[in-house]
């Protein structure tokens, strides 16, 4: 008993030291965590552009090497809130689709643009109005920007994906840089927003791709490049006359004296009219681990048809595979994914207001960003579409 009693105080002292050290470590970690959180909040507050605070906070965390933590939290949210399976789309939207009023016939000329043929539905039978194109913007009396809606697959039947067709003959594209990505505003002739003076003739706008650092490619304009124009990367190329093409860099598209701008993002979803063979392989790392990371999320993509027109697709509950399938179904022979996540996906079309520069924006789908998103500085690059 005496020996046991004699050794007990030394154990208590040792335990006390361990507990004290653990408390000190916990306090240190807590202080470091508080400092890091404060630093991220400061970065989010002072960040350029019109992004939401949550989006800025997530981007600040990614920029500080916490991308896996952000992605993990987003993946957890996706598991707790997966896309709905089955059901039917919102009845109000279906009614609007079913009662589309077609415009008056266009002039009968050899080069006249008409409404596109109805897109065959993915899930049959077709819903009333599903796949039927509606003229959004007319140029010279011809439907230059048209839109239709389709269910993305046979499972997520309560969602409608927007399909937008843009005439290559009646429209021209302009690439705009983002205030922070690619940043370096002194390099570019275009601003990170569309000022009022530049809105005459504006018919549409849509988002660019991933952050340049995550795009596996580069951004080129005004004879400057951010990142690296990478051979094999999917590339949206705009030429001096405003027409655009999409292809694999060094393959279907490459640098020429007529190239005005280039935006690269990942690999082609569709090439030579065929779906990419790896659409279902390593989906998170190949098609979007940096944003959300789940398979079925908000996605957007753009393609070019055999006649040189552009097709844009966006919607919720899309995988890389279903996005590619919709782009091909809409006529794209080559197509690429753009940005994903409801914070970044956006397509707006514009009607004329009280004056030619007072255009009124309209959202093509229910993504998070407001319709006038591109009227104030954006953190990321985007595209503006004008009437020729």
């Amino acid at each position: 008993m005496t020996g046991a009693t004699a050794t007990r105080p030394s154990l208590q002292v040792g335990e006390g030291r361990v507990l004290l050290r653990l408390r000190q470590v916990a306090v240190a970690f807590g202080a470091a965590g508080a400092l890091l959180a404060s630093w991220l909040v400061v970065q989010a507050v002072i960040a350029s552009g019109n992004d939401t605070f949550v989006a800025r906070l997530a981007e600040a965390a990614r920029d500080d090497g916490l991308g896996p933590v952000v992605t993990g939290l987003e993946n957890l949210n996706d598991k707790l809130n997966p896309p709905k399976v089955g059901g039917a789309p919102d009845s109000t939207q279906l009614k609007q689709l079913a009662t589309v009023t077609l415009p008056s016939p266009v002039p009968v000329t050899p080069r006249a643009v008409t409404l596109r043929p109805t897109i065959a539905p993915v899930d049959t039978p077709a819903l009333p109005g599903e796949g039927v194109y509606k003229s959004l913007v007319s140029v010279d009396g011809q439907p230059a920007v048209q839109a239709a809606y389709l269910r993305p697959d046979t499972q997520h039947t309560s969602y409608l994906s927007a399909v937008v067709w843009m005439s290559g003959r009646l429209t021209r594209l302009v690439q705009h840089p983002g205030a922070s990505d690619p940043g370096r505003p002194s390099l570019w002739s275009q601003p990170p927003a569309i000022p009022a003076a530049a809105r005459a003739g504006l018919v549409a706008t849509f988002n660019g791709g991933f952050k340049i650092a995550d795009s596996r490619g580069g951004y080129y304009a005004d004879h400057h490049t951010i990142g690296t124009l990478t051979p094999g990367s999917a590339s949206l190329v705009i030429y001096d006359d405003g027409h655009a093409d999409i292809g694999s860099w060094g393959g279907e598209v490459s640098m020429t004296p007529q190239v005005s701008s280039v935006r690269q993002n990942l690999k082609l979803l569709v090439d030579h009219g065929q779906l990419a063979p790896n659409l279902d392989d390593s989906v998170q790392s190949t098609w979007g681990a940096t944003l959300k990371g789940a398979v079925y999320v908000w996605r957007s993509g753009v393609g070019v048809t055999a006649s040189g027109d552009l097709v844009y697709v966006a919607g919720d509950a899309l995988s890389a595979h279903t996005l590619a399938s919709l782009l091909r179904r809409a006529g794209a022979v080559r197509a690429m994914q753009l940005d994903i996540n409801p914070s970044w996906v956006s397509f707006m079309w514009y009607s004329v207001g009280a004056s030619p520069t007072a255009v009124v924006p309209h959202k093509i789908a229910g993504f998070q960003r407001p319709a006038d998103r591109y009227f104030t500085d954006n953190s990321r690059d985007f595209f503006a579409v004008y009437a020729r």
Side-chain angles (χ1 to χ4, degrees):
M1 293 292 293
T2 303
T5 303
T7 58
R8 185 61 182 169
S10 62
L11 288 174
Q12 290 177 337
V13 170
E15 290 172 351
R17 288 175 179 171
V18 171
L19 290 174
L20 177 61
R21 177 60 63 185
L22 289 174
R23 291 193 187 98
Q24 290 173 336
V25 171
V27 170
F29 272 107
L35 287 174
L36 177 59
S38 299
W39 171 241
L40 293 177
V41 169
V42 169
Q43 286 183 292
V45 169
I46 66 175
S48 302
N50 56 13
D51 302 335
T52 65
F53 177 76
V54 173
R56 293 184 185 191
L57 191 62
E59 292 300 284
R62 287 190 176 94
D63 291 341
D64 285 347
L66 297 177
V69 175
V70 176
T71 300
L73 292 174
E74 291 173 336
N75 287 341
L76 176 60
N77 177 69
D78 290 334
K79 290 179 181 178
L80 295 175
N81 302 282
K84 179 182 177 182
V85 173
D90 178 77
S91 59
T92 302
Q93 197 168 13
L94 279 176
K95 184 178 180 181
Q96 292 171 347
L97 288 175
T99 57
V100 167
T101 301
L102 301 181
S104 301
V106 299
V108 180
T109 65
R111 301 184 65 191
V113 175
T114 59
L115 283 173
R116 307 296 298 166
T118 297
I119 307 173
V122 180
D123 191 20
T124 55
L127 301 170
E130 186 176 12
V132 177
Y133 274 104
K134 172 185 178 181
S135 177
L136 300 181
V137 181
S138 292
V139 175
D140 294 332
Q142 302 179 72
V145 181
Q146 306 174 27
Y149 294 88
L150 288 173
R151 290 167 294 175
D153 54 40
T154 58
Q155 289 185 309
H156 302 94
T157 53
S158 62
Y159 299 88
L160 288 172
S161 297
V163 179
V164 184
W165 175 90
M166 293 166 277
S167 168
R169 182 169 68 84
L170 298 176
T171 64
R172 60 182 178 86
L173 260 65
V174 175
Q175 180 174 275
H176 284 261
S180 59
D181 199 65
R184 304 182 67 182
S186 62
L187 296 181
W188 320 114
S189 60
Q190 294 294 337
I194 302 178
R199 295 174 193 168
L202 181 67
V203 297
T205 49
F206 59 92
N207 58 280
F210 286 8
K211 296 186 70 173
I212 305 301
D214 299 323
S215 68
R216 301 170 201 157
Y219 178 103
Y220 169 85
D222 301 302
H223 307 289
H224 298 288
T225 304
I226 300 297
T228 302
L229 293 181
T230 304
S233 290
S235 307
L236 193 164
V237 181
I238 302 175
Y239 297 88
D240 290 339
D241 64 358
H243 90 274
D245 198 0
I246 294 168
S248 176
W249 190 250
E252 296 95 347
V253 292
S254 59
M255 185 58 69
T256 70
Q258 293 73 41
V259 169
S260 173
S261 65
V262 181
R263 180 52 155 106
Q264 296 187 322
N265 200 57
L266 310 179
K267 298 290 186 179
L268 288 176
L269 292 172
V270 179
D271 194 11
H272 296 91
Q274 302 298 314
L275 299 183
N278 63 333
L279 292 174
D280 299 312
D281 298 335
S282 303
V283 174
Q284 293 186 21
S285 60
T286 305
W287 304 107
T290 54
L291 289 173
K292 272 235 167 190
V295 174
Y296 293 97
V297 296
W298 271 94
R299 294 183 190 267
S300 62
V302 63
V304 64
T305 69
S307 57
D309 304 315
L310 291 184
V311 179
Y312 175 96
V313 171
D316 196 359
L318 285 174
S319 67
H321 196 135
T322 53
L323 173 64
S325 297
L326 289 177
L327 284 161
R328 185 177 66 167
R329 188 173 290 263
V333 293
R334 296 182 297 278
M336 59 189 285
Q337 181 173 269
L338 294 175
D339 219 339
I340 64 177
N341 189 317
S343 293
W344 309 117
V345 173
S346 57
F347 184 104
M348 276 71 76
W349 60 277
Y350 298 84
S351 57
V352 178
S355 68
T357 59
V359 294
V360 180
H362 309 271
K363 295 167 62 168
I364 198 67
F367 43 80
Q368 289 181 354
R369 304 306 287 272
D372 61 354
R373 170 184 181 181
Y374 296 119
F375 289 171
T376 57
D377 284 358
N378 276 262
S379 66
R380 298 194 185 183
D381 60 286
F382 65 96
F383 296 94
V385 186
Y386 289 89
R388 286 190 177 276

